[in-house]
Amino acid sequence: MRFAALLLVTLSLVAQDVSPEKPTAFERGVVQEMSDLRVRPRAYAEHLRDQREYFQGFLWKRPGRVPLRTEEGVAALDEAIAFLETVRPVGPLRFNEGLARAARLHAQDIGPRGSIEHLGTDGTRLSVRLNRLGTWHGTIGENIGTLEEDPRQVVIQLLVDDGVPGRGHRHNLFNQDFHQAGAGHAPHREYRVVTVIDYADGFVSNR
């Protein structure tokens, strides 16, 4: 989702190991959350229904969080619920440490410069970045989310895809050609935190 924070707050990030070698519990949790969504989409619709009461027009006022302004309001949430009620389940995602390393490196690259682009600082696309770290086959893809530090909220953001034409992030979540995924998390200059998720049919690390 593309949100604009209404309140300026100072949040201290919990110190974390951002080594590209060590996936965190949060990063593993994002992949598990996506896997649960793919396997049981109708059950996941209940999580979205729980969010409806927190919308006031275009404002999303979740308890204990900074109010956020959405582009579509509750309409995008309702559209996502309807999608989950009809979509066919797809296979689960398996956590891949090599993909997690690639995702984390990209998050650490774009975070300090305030970017949410899929291109790296050196102009490289996902395929090139993965080639540097190992061998991939089949279909690959990438999602980028911001602001959220809870795995479920990261996935809800990408699933609802507020303000994104074509719901491209949602398409990636339910792409049946993806069987493995890795998530990477880092501080972000503009949006506090950024989460990058890299997907592949298969990926074998070269280290």
Side-chain angles (χ1 to χ4, degrees), residues 118-197:
H118 295 285
L119 287 178
T121 299
D122 58 359
T124 53
R125 298 185 181 276
L126 174 61
S127 58
V128 176
R129 300 198 305 270
L130 291 182
N131 283 336
R132 291 172 174 171
L133 301 177
T135 303
W136 57 273
H137 65 266
T139 305
I140 58 174
E142 185 170 77
N143 275 346
I144 299 176
T146 60
L147 293 174
E148 302 297 347
E149 298 181 81
D150 173 78
R152 176 163 294 174
Q153 295 304 318
V154 170
V155 174
I156 287 177
Q157 179 189 101
L158 297 171
L159 174 64
V160 176
D161 232 5
D162 174 71
V164 179
R167 311 299 191 203
H169 298 107
R170 184 190 302 168
H171 175 75
N172 279 343
L173 289 173
F174 280 91
N175 191 326
Q176 62 184 357
D177 294 327
F178 295 151
H179 297 99
Q180 300 179 5
H185 192 61
H188 192 275
R189 191 181 70 190
E190 301 295 334
Y191 297 108
R192 196 173 70 242
V193 291
V194 60
T195 300
V196 176
I197 305 163

